[in-house]
Amino acid sequence: MTFAGTRRRPPTTGDDVPKGPTSADVAREAGVSQSTVSYVMSGKRPISPETRRRVQDAIDRLTYEPHAGARALAGHRTSTVAVVVPVDPDSSVQRLMVFVEEILLAARRRDHDVLLVTADEGPSGLRRVAGRSLCDALVVMGVGADDDRVDVARELPLPVVFIGIPDDAEGLDCLDFDFEAAGGLLVAELADLGHRTVDVLGWGPDVTAQGVNFVPRFERGARTAAAERGVELRWHEPAGEPDVGRVVDGALASDEVPGLVLATAVPATFRALADRGRRPGRDVDVVGLALDAEAEPHGLTATSPRPRDVSRRVMERVFALLDGDAPPGGERELAPAVLLRRRSTRTTPAAG
């Protein structure tokens, strides 16, 4: 496994990106969207002859050429898959590395190496890796809801698979866990135990500020299930363990058995409950989104985001594209959410 950059890189230089006219210039000249230009060049989607002619005429007038290094990829195989996974020094990489480990194992089974790109370079990072003929395919992680890499991904002449679903996913290969179903499943579980009010410990401000795609998907599922079941959701974004304690105190102030949904802060929540002499599964019902390794020590009723399953599906898609067994673009697949009940929830509602 090759590691490329563990520190934030300076902005790319002119040697790293195409000079002269860009695909955005071609789009303006032809009077079409930039994604349409990308589709004409990549062949990923059918385009009408008239639109194709306008785009080609604009390319000819502007003498636009895609990056020479990227064009060369069509005839050169490196037996390498690049994984673009921006790593913030202040964030935990535990969950990310579970994804990466499975990608590495899947690549080795096909005699491929993995190039791990950890610098947060945005679109220029994709261009740099593809333009230098470093890999045969790209796996993109750390996907934002409004991700500025999607237009570049559509344009590149090599397979690109996203782990995550950006808002603008048209023409992209995107695979992920079904976070929306998970949010709904957890709220429904508490509703079935008789809870009419549920406190959700969502992701903190440091995560939500990044605009990651899975946060709004999880919240959408939770709120939809709450509306359908007549449940009031109290949504919290704890910034640290003291905030978690305050949320727990507020939930415990009710005369009824509290219900908690943990999107994060699993250890901190269980510590707070223990400090207050409350036992999950008896004095409070707790469900969460957590890896099995996080859930099992606490007996947490949970749905796992299934990182290994997601990564296996991603690599199956990558090699199907490389082998020519699948058409590029437009594949969207979600690993289903499955609830595993443990001792943090009661088996029946408490008597009223």
Side-chain angles (χ1 to χ4, degrees):
M1 180 168 59
T2 305
F3 292 87
T6 56
R7 295 178 296 178
R8 188 176 298 273
R9 297 178 182 271
T12 53
T13 66
D15 294 333
D16 298 313
V17 296
K19 294 181 173 65
T22 67
S23 61
D25 297 324
V26 173
R28 283 192 293 270
E29 180 75 11
V32 299
S33 69
Q34 191 172 357
S35 60
T36 298
V37 175
S38 299
Y39 296 144
V40 168
M41 293 188 297
S42 67
K44 288 184 176 180
R45 304 197 78 180
I47 300 295
S48 71
E50 171 60 22
T51 300
R52 184 177 296 277
R53 183 188 61 76
R54 285 163 51 199
V55 171
Q56 189 58 57
D57 288 348
I59 289 173
D60 294 341
R61 286 194 299 272
L62 296 175
T63 64
Y64 168 71
E65 293 186 26
H67 196 299
R71 292 198 312 272
L73 284 171
H76 175 67
R77 294 293 289 267
T78 66
S79 295
T80 299
V81 175
V83 180
V84 181
V85 50
V87 174
D88 187 328
D90 298 326
S91 65
S92 171
V93 299
Q94 178 184 4
R95 291 192 178 188
L96 291 176
M97 289 305 103
V98 178
F99 285 95
V100 173
E101 181 183 10
E102 194 62 38
I103 289 172
L104 173 62
L105 293 173
R108 291 313 309 152
R109 285 192 288 269
R110 291 290 301 266
D111 293 324
H112 277 62
D113 290 318
V114 171
L115 171 68
L116 190 60
V117 183
T118 61
D120 187 4
E121 300 174 280
S124 63
L126 301 190
R127 292 192 185 98
R128 177 177 65 82
V129 175
R132 292 180 179 176
S133 303
L134 298 175
C135 63
D136 301 329
L138 281 163
V139 175
V140 180
M141 299 180 63
V143 176
D146 181 17
D147 200 299
D148 59 1
R149 297 171 294 181
V150 296
D151 284 334
V152 172
R154 293 187 182 104
E155 182 178 333
L156 294 178
L158 79 172
V160 181
V161 180
F162 280 64
I163 299 183
I165 313 293
D167 291 345
D168 180 13
E170 182 182 4
L172 298 176
D173 288 289
C174 301
L175 293 89
D176 201 4
F177 172 68
D178 196 340
F179 284 95
E180 185 169 346
L185 196 62
L186 295 173
V187 170
E189 180 72 4
L190 293 181
D192 288 344
L193 287 171
H195 294 278
R196 303 273 63 86
T197 300
V198 169
D199 287 277
V200 181
L201 283 81
W203 290 268
D206 56 333
V207 175
T208 57
Q210 297 172 21
V212 289
N213 73 101
F214 55 82
V215 171
R217 290 162 52 204
F218 181 88
E219 182 172 353
R220 182 164 57 248
R223 292 196 182 280
T224 298
E228 291 173 349
R229 301 296 192 101
V231 171
E232 176 191 357
L233 285 190
R234 298 190 297 206
W235 205 275
H236 311 274
E237 296 182 359
E241 194 148 344
D243 277 357
V244 172
R246 284 189 283 272
V247 173
V248 169
D249 286 336
L252 295 176
S254 171
D255 293 333
E256 300 178 350
V257 174
L260 301 177
V261 172
L262 310 183
T264 186
V266 171
T269 301
F270 277 83
R271 282 194 296 269
L273 289 170
D275 289 345
R276 290 153 178 80
R278 303 300 180 94
R279 193 177 79 185
R282 183 191 66 186
D283 308 311
V284 55
D285 289 320
V286 188
V287 298
L289 175 70
L291 299 174
D292 290 340
E294 297 172 309
E296 287 172 355
H298 303 286
L300 176 64
T301 293
T303 178
S304 168
R306 304 173 64 178
R308 294 189 183 278
D309 186 23
V310 171
S311 289
R312 281 194 292 269
R313 293 168 186 243
V314 165
M315 293 305 286
E316 288 171 2
R317 180 65 179 172
V318 165
F319 286 115
L321 292 169
L322 288 175
D323 295 342
D325 295 333
E331 176 71 15
R332 177 169 172 171
E333 183 179 349
L334 297 174
V338 178
L339 187 74
L340 181 58
R341 293 183 177 91
R342 298 184 178 92
R343 63 180 182 274
S344 68
T345 48
R346 297 163 297 148
T347 55
T348 57

